[in-house]
Amino acid sequence: MKNSIIEFAFVIGFAAASLLGNAHAADTRIFTDDLGRAVEIPTHASRIASLHDGMLTLPLIELGVIPAGSAGRISGDLPPFIRGSKGLTGYDFDNSDIQFLGKYPVDIEKVAALKPDLIISTTTYEDILNKLSAIAPTIIIDNVNNSREQMFETLADITHTQKTLDVLKTRYAQQIKDINTVIDTKSISVNVMQASGGKLYVWHSYFSLGKVLRDAGFTFPKLVEDIAVGERRELSAEKLQDLNADYIFVTYRTDRARTPQDAMAEFEKVIPDFCNYLKACRENRMLMMPREAASSTSFTALGLSAFTVLTHISGNPYAAKITK
Amino acid sequence: MLTMGVPLMLILVVSMFLLHISIGAKSLTYQTVIDAFSNFDVKNFDHIIILKVRLPRAIIAIVVGASLAVAGAIMQGVTRNPLASPSILGLMSGASFAIVVALGVFGVHSPFLTPWIAAFGALAAALLVLVIATLAPGGTNPLNLTLSGVAVSAFLGAIISLLNLMDEDNFDQLRVWLTGSLAGKNLNIFYIISPWLVITMIVAIILSRKITILGMGEEVAKGLGVKTTGLKIQLLAVVIILTACSVAMAGPMGFIGLVVPHMVRLFIGADYRWVIPYSALLGAVYLLAVDIIARVIIAPQEVSTGIITALLGGPLFIYLIKTRGR
Amino acid sequence: MNQYFTLRLFDQKIALQLPILALLIFLALFLAIVASLAFSLNAGSYNLSLAEVLDILLGEPADAASEKIVWLFRFPRSLAAILVGMMMALSGAALQNITRNGLADPSLVGISQGAALAVVASIIVFPEISAVWRPWLALLGSLSVAVLIQGLSYEGKVSKPIKFILLGIGVSAFISSITTAMLTYGNIYQASAALGWLAGSINGADWLDVKILAISCFILIPFLLIISRSMAAIRMGEHVAISLGTPILFTRYALISIAVALAAIATSVVGPLGFVGLIAPHAARRLAHCGVAVHLLLTALIGGLLVLIADTAGRAAFAPIQIPAGIVTQIIGVPIFVYLLLRQKAKING
């Protein structure tokens, strides 16, 4: 009995898949995703379901493609939101037609009810790939091994927005060029730090801000250079002075109404009066940035980071002195 | 013989303390350590490392290690359950749960309130476990206590998971704390709770003779004129204060209260007049040693101390059941 | 309650005495599962009316999409929930009988934690391992822990049930701390994916999983029923069993193997599910006094019902937020556990 049900289901599944396939046959193409699967996708997808807010939805919106639905976050009493999106793109669930599909794991029936013609997912959902594929052609983007630039390229390829991406890339290249025109980055060291739970956190490159700093050619403390690309270290408070740089960037949360003072208070917990022992802080070269602008997968975030770097370091008497 | 051991243990605590403040992610000479105390220079970061980073950490390790070990020793004596300890009997999860709810749901951050919140949580969980075990057929026997402790911990754990699920940003902040950590401590909470701890420790030592009698069985104790119910309430208060203070300072730190009293009894026997002070001293040595390992094993990174206590404590626990659970 | 209905087949070559009350309860539970299944087929974010669901079940779907919702998502998921619940419940019953301790449960003796460690390690330490291998890793993890605990508690011919449980608690705590370390120091994205699995979700269950679970049930449950007589003897105590001529060591290891296999396979498909194995056998015993075989059948039905309800509630109650079934069973399960602890017979504590 059970076997016949299973077989029946398979038959129905195949029938449905081939029906769907035929309906779009005129306007599809084969796309090979990061798992090496050749997927038949609509050439111009009009209803995309995006299963990760920060890594997929945000880049899609910047490419000019508004997904029909997206995974999101919930936090305390706040309504569901797309992390970082309101401040960087203006779009969020409450002011657009983007449907909230749930947090992790997304509600697969909500995805189905969306009637998407394309599902884009991170590798997180590899285990329910067969179910997603039954709803619509599904592309998996490897968020663990791919850089953010590669993810943008893939998304632009899928959505035929290569031109938009080129414009964004040109804009970013110009922003880096603007930094290099007025700042001798080779002779200035920088670092991005966070304090939490009594420990210090540093990154090889801190997401968008880190990319700007690396692309512009700044130098980093030795301890940071020793970190592998893409990794983070949590260090003992005793290493505070080894993390000093000409300019230190600190980020603070915005989604829970945290302030720069909250971020600094965490440093106080690591070392009382830390500012006296960290030269950059003592001499007012510790710069605060909202975390979404410094960390999101977004060209707007890259631009904001580049602008912050440009305005804070260029023309500053200190920077002028050390670059001579 | 046993009196001789106390100064020896004290020397061990002091040496371990000195070792703790002498080594760390940044290598400092012994001269620097001495200078930090004798010739403190507020501008010298090395002195700051010793006095503001390592010293508070060492002091808290001593206090937390001693408190949890004594709490465990008392619980094992009173319940005549070799497996009783603050973590297994639900006190730890009660205190953590209260702090997680206070911080995550109500946004309470105050270092003044935290010990009280923890104490309240520990008390509520302890009473719940005790009530369940007492009402169960067979009364407060080892199995009933262990199982009601496991059940209460599991329930609170599930609620914490649910809260995390609903608000993962808070989880991100709390996940290090929930493993038990000694990093980034200052002595503010210590100053607030140290009078309580001193009083509680003195009470524990005063009551220690009666714990030995209680350990011989309820009937024996009553026959010897000990008012067992009153004594149990006093001891419960002692255990709750010790656990709550520890959790407020360092988060939930498992297995110390289980392992240390057992090691003590292996050498000292069951006389609680000695078990209590020795547990306090050995608990201090043990947590200092564990914290040294946590700080240097992958320096300049650090491991949460609570993870190392569980990794060392788990096998010890298993060994104790194997050899003593006959 | 003492009325029996005797089933005679093949000229009385097979005669079964069945307690009527237990049979009625069996029937009631079966109907409850069918009703819950019907409800679960109708519940979810995708709006389908009862009539539409019926049409789909009768093979006359209104459209292909709604058909997929029922046949590919809801049906296999609900069936998997029932099967997993049955397996965890039976595993718990077998463990309780073998240890003569009414409080044994696959998650109390380290089987779930072993699976968790293996899967979390694969997600965080070896992210290049595909999610497809998770069930096998979970199986490997729980089997290793089961062997470890067995090895540690082995003491020759006479077993100490309480030691088995306490060792299980110790090993579980140790293994959990390693898992916690990985979750704390792992990449946050990977950690949250691992947490999703850890909480126990039947999200991914498809027809292949249902097939695997169903085949395992078909193989393992008859075995369990066959040695249920020996089990009954063991429940009277090992010395009684020896005098009745039951091969204790064989029965003991056969039962533990079946218990571990049931729990490990179930866990491998859906992640750790706490307390089902603990509650279901007790609830069954409370519902009807009956022989071991019937008791096991009732246990299985209660387990299946519990997980089905927990999973349906978890996915539909706060949609689109999905609450993993593992958390729901734990939150419902602990109060029931405490109730049972208070009501158990004192002799179980031996």
Side-chain angles (χ1 to χ4, degrees):
Chain A
M1 176 62 193
K2 244 162 211 156
N3 275 334
S4 64
I5 290 176
I6 295 167
E7 273 155 28
F8 179 64
F10 276 124
V11 171
I12 294 293
F14 282 124
S18 52
L19 263 177
L20 264 177
N22 287 337
H24 292 273
D27 198 20
T28 63
R29 63 175 176 132
I30 302 294
F31 185 90
T32 307
D33 76 357
D34 289 343
L35 297 183
R37 298 156 54 245
V39 189
E40 189 174 358
I41 63 168
T43 312
H44 296 283
S46 58
R47 295 187 61 78
I48 294 177
S50 158
L51 302 196
H52 197 290
D53 56 346
M55 282 193 242
L56 300 173
T57 307
L58 199 53
L60 281 171
I61 295 174
E62 289 203 339
L63 291 170
V65 178
I66 309 303
S70 168
R73 311 282 164 125
I74 46 173
S75 182
D77 301 330
L78 302 175
F81 59 95
I82 302 170
R83 186 158 180 193
S85 185
K86 200 166 254 171
L88 294 170
T89 69
Y91 282 90
D92 209 339
F93 294 122
D94 59 4
N95 69 347
S96 73
D97 295 331
I98 305 172
Q99 295 281 311
F100 175 50
L101 300 179
K103 48 176 292 189
Y104 177 84
V106 291
D107 183 349
I108 189 159
E109 292 197 11
K110 195 89 198 269
V111 177
L114 194 67
K115 302 209 186 303
D117 54 5
L118 179 65
I119 298 171
I120 306 179
S121 167
T122 55
T123 39
T124 322
Y125 290 104
E126 211 182 318
D127 56 340
I128 55 163
L129 187 52
N130 55 349
K131 292 192 178 187
L132 293 172
S133 301
I135 299 171
T138 303
I139 285 173
I140 299 269
I141 292 183
D142 185 346
N143 56 304
V144 179
N145 298 312
N146 278 349
S147 70
R148 291 177 168 199
E149 298 87 86
Q150 284 168 312
M151 287 170 64
F152 255 103
E153 294 287 349
T154 312
L155 289 172
D157 187 355
I158 296 167
T159 56
H160 290 280
T161 47
Q162 194 61 51
K163 275 187 186 158
T164 316
L165 180 59
D166 288 342
V167 169
L168 290 171
K169 278 157 76 178
T170 309
R171 185 180 86 190
Y172 174 65
Q174 183 62 40
Q175 287 161 343
I176 294 298
K177 213 169 142 195
D178 289 348
I179 292 176
N180 283 321
T181 311
V182 291
I183 303 172
D184 177 14
T185 53
K186 286 271 173 294
S187 54
I188 296 177
S189 66
V190 292
N191 195 4
V192 185
M193 275 163 75
Q194 262 171 38
S196 177
K199 291 173 193 169
L200 297 169
Y201 291 81
V202 284
W203 289 257
H204 171 271
S205 359
Y206 185 82
F207 313 110
S208 296
L209 175 60
K211 179 175 166 54
V212 167
L213 295 172
R214 291 272 171 198
D215 288 348
F218 287 99
T219 62
F220 290 79
K222 173 158 188 322
L223 212 50
V224 174
E225 292 291 8
D226 289 345
I227 302 172
V229 177
E231 302 240 318
R232 165 186 102 161
R233 284 274 174 280
E234 63 182 80
L235 295 171
S236 159
E238 301 179 10
K239 288 290 171 185
L240 181 77
Q241 290 192 328
D242 296 322
L243 297 171
N244 187 42
D246 291 326
Y247 288 90
I248 293 176
F249 293 85
V250 176
T251 65
Y252 60 94
R253 298 196 81 110
T254 47
D255 54 342
R256 292 183 66 82
R258 294 273 151 76
T259 62
Q261 286 71 34
D262 291 329
M264 293 307 240
E266 285 292 326
F267 277 95
E268 279 300 314
K269 280 191 204 161
V270 176
I271 301 225
D273 300 325
F274 80 99
C275 215
N276 293 339
Y277 309 101
L278 192 63
K279 193 154 177 260
C281 181
R282 209 163 56 225
E283 299 179 357
N284 248 327
R285 283 175 282 108
M286 204 143 165
L287 310 173
M288 307 303 295
M289 259 193 93
R291 189 165 303 170
E292 270 61 39
S295 71
S296 299
T297 312
S298 147
F299 274 92
T300 307
L302 286 171
L304 290 169
S305 298
F307 196 69
T308 306
V309 169
L310 181 74
T311 52
H312 277 87
I313 302 181
S314 72
N316 184 302
Y318 176 83
K321 196 169 70 195
I322 57 170
T323 53
K324 256 169 202 167
Chain B
M1 180 61 201
L2 290 177
T3 20
M4 288 277 287
V6 173
L8 274 176
M9 284 300 294
L10 269 174
I11 292 170
L12 195 59
V13 172
V14 172
S15 350
M16 198 58 91
F17 170 78
L18 291 175
L19 187 66
H20 187 283
I21 59 172
S22 307
I23 63 177
K26 185 167 185 182
S27 44
L28 302 173
T29 60
Y30 289 103
Q31 190 56 48
T32 319
V33 178
I34 294 162
D35 282 351
F37 285 96
S38 61
N39 196 8
F40 176 66
D41 174 10
V42 73
K43 285 187 183 141
N44 187 331
F45 185 59
D46 292 345
H47 291 184
I48 295 292
I49 289 180
I50 288 160
L51 290 187
K52 294 288 168 70
V53 178
R54 293 182 189 171
L55 183 65
R57 204 170 163 150
I59 290 175
I60 288 175
I62 289 174
V63 173
V64 169
S67 304
L68 288 176
V70 170
I74 294 176
M75 289 174 91
Q76 289 161 17
V78 173
T79 61
R80 273 173 291 140
N81 175 358
L83 301 167
S85 81
S87 58
I88 288 193
L89 293 191
L91 271 78
M92 207 72 107
S93 33
S96 317
F97 178 74
I99 291 181
V100 167
V101 169
L103 206 77
V105 180
F106 300 108
V108 178
H109 256 301
S110 153
F112 296 95
L113 282 177
T114 310
W116 296 105
I117 294 166
F120 176 75
L123 174 68
L127 288 179
L128 192 60
V129 170
L130 211 62
V131 166
I132 294 171
T134 312
L135 291 179
T140 52
N141 64 25
L143 190 66
N144 277 347
L145 278 169
T146 310
L147 288 168
S148 33
V150 169
V152 168
S153 300
F155 187 69
L156 297 177
I159 307 266
I160 291 180
S161 307
L162 197 63
L163 291 174
N164 288 335
L165 203 74
M166 291 305 191
D167 198 344
E168 62 189 303
D169 293 327
N170 265 323
F171 166 67
D172 198 21
Q173 291 181 330
L174 285 170
R175 65 178 183 158
V176 174
W177 185 83
L178 279 171
T179 59
S181 168
L182 289 176
K185 303 297 170 195
N186 59 41
L187 292 175
N188 291 347
I189 292 187
F190 172 74
Y191 294 139
I192 298 167
I193 60 188
S194 51
W196 291 90
L197 281 176
V198 171
I199 294 169
T200 314
M201 283 288 184
I202 292 171
V203 171
I205 290 170
I206 293 172
L207 293 176
S208 59
R209 197 184 57 85
K210 291 181 181 169
I211 304 175
T212 317
I213 298 171
L214 201 59
M216 296 172 189
E218 200 112 341
E219 305 306 316
V220 181
K222 277 183 183 151
L224 289 171
V226 177
K227 290 182 182 124
T228 51
T229 313
L231 178 63
K232 278 183 176 173
I233 292 172
Q234 289 166 354
L235 288 171
L236 181 67
V238 167
V239 166
I240 285 170
I241 293 173
L242 292 174
T243 307
C245 290
S246 306
V247 174
M249 282 189 284
M253 196 89 74
F255 283 101
I256 296 170
L258 185 69
V259 171
V260 173
H262 272 286
M263 294 199 281
V264 168
R265 270 193 302 264
L266 278 180
F267 296 102
I268 304 294
D271 185 347
Y272 269 79
R273 279 175 302 171
W274 296 111
V275 170
I276 301 269
Y278 273 99
S279 291
L281 293 170
L282 189 64
V285 172
Y286 181 74
L287 193 52
L288 279 170
V290 163
D291 193 44
I292 292 173
I293 296 175
R295 290 188 307 135
V296 300
I297 192 166
I298 50 167
Q301 301 193 70
E302 285 174 0
V303 185
S304 276
T305 319
I307 289 175
I308 305 277
T309 55
L311 285 179
L312 289 178
L316 261 166
F317 176 81
I318 292 163
Y319 170 78
L320 290 170
I321 299 169
K322 276 297 284 180
T323 53
R324 312 196 84 211
R326 288 169 201 277
Chain C
M1 196 182 283
N2 291 322
Q3 282 176 307
Y4 288 87
F5 165 75
T6 311
L7 183 70
R8 294 166 214 278
L9 296 167
F10 307 114
D11 290 333
Q12 302 215 8
K13 272 177 191 146
I14 295 174
L16 287 172
Q17 262 203 342
L18 299 169
I20 290 174
L21 181 73
L23 272 183
L24 285 176
I25 291 170
F26 182 89
L27 205 64
L29 282 171
F30 185 77
L31 289 177
I33 287 193
V34 173
S36 308
L37 182 63
F39 179 78
S40 81
L41 290 180
N42 212 44
S45 301
Y46 197 100
N47 276 326
L48 287 176
S49 70
L50 194 59
E52 281 174 303
V53 173
L54 272 178
D55 283 345
I56 292 163
L57 291 179
L58 295 171
E60 292 158 10
D63 60 297
S66 51
E67 182 164 13
K68 266 185 259 170
I69 295 294
V70 174
W71 279 112
L72 285 180
F73 299 168
R74 292 183 190 169
F75 214 153
R77 181 172 178 159
S78 296
L79 286 181
I82 295 172
L83 288 169
V84 161
M86 288 168 70
M87 292 166 83
M88 294 303 271
L90 288 174
S91 171
L95 283 172
Q96 289 176 12
N97 285 333
I98 196 71
T99 58
R100 268 180 298 138
N101 188 304
L103 301 161
D105 169 79
S107 66
L108 280 185
V109 293
I111 294 172
S112 310
Q113 286 81 354
L117 177 64
V119 171
V120 170
S122 84
I123 295 176
I124 290 176
V125 185
F126 307 102
E128 63 276 7
I129 296 177
S130 161
V132 182
W133 293 101
R134 272 179 214 170
W136 297 103
L137 290 167
L139 192 62
L140 188 73
S142 23
L143 291 180
S144 321
V145 172
V147 169
L148 179 69
I149 295 177
Q150 273 304 300
L152 283 171
S153 65
Y154 179 77
E155 305 243 297
K157 290 207 166 177
V158 175
S159 54
K160 289 250 172 100
I162 183 177
K163 211 161 185 180
F164 177 67
I165 294 198
L166 293 175
L167 278 169
I169 292 175
V171 173
S172 307
F174 175 65
I175 290 179
S176 298
S177 73
I178 303 179
T179 311
T180 309
M182 289 183 188
L183 287 173
T184 312
Y185 295 103
N187 174 314
I188 179 78
Y189 296 118
Q190 287 160 3
S192 60
L195 272 176
W197 186 88
L198 269 187
S201 172
I202 310 175
N203 203 13
D206 56 16
W207 283 107
L208 181 66
D209 293 325
V210 173
K211 229 176 189 170
I212 294 173
L213 292 171
I215 291 171
S216 318
C217 281
F218 279 129
I219 296 172
L220 292 171
I221 293 177
F223 260 113
L224 198 63
L225 293 175
I226 286 169
I227 29 183
S228 60
R229 278 185 69 90
S230 322
M231 210 159 162
I234 287 176
R235 277 172 68 183
M236 288 182 241
E238 297 197 353
H239 298 289
V240 182
I242 292 169
S243 59
L244 286 176
T246 308
I248 288 196
L249 226 55
F250 169 77
T251 313
R252 182 182 150 85
Y253 281 102
L255 276 179
I256 288 187
S257 310
I258 292 175
V260 167
L262 283 168
I265 294 167
T267 306
S268 71
V269 174
V270 303
L273 273 181
F275 286 93
V276 181
L278 187 73
I279 299 157
H282 283 279
R285 207 163 291 134
R286 217 149 274 284
L287 282 175
H289 291 279
C290 52
V292 180
V294 179
H295 171 250
L296 286 176
L297 291 177
L298 292 180
T299 301
L301 287 182
I302 293 170
L305 185 63
L306 184 65
V307 177
L308 177 60
I309 292 173
D311 182 53
T312 310
R315 73 178 163 87
F318 298 99
I321 307 299
Q322 307 281 290
I323 312 288
I327 294 183
V328 183
T329 52
Q330 196 136 324
I331 289 174
I332 316 175
V334 171
I336 303 180
F337 175 75
V338 169
Y339 172 75
L340 293 171
L341 191 63
L342 299 182
R343 295 283 306 267
Q344 67 174 331
K345 293 193 181 77
K347 66 170 186 190
I348 295 174
N349 286 305

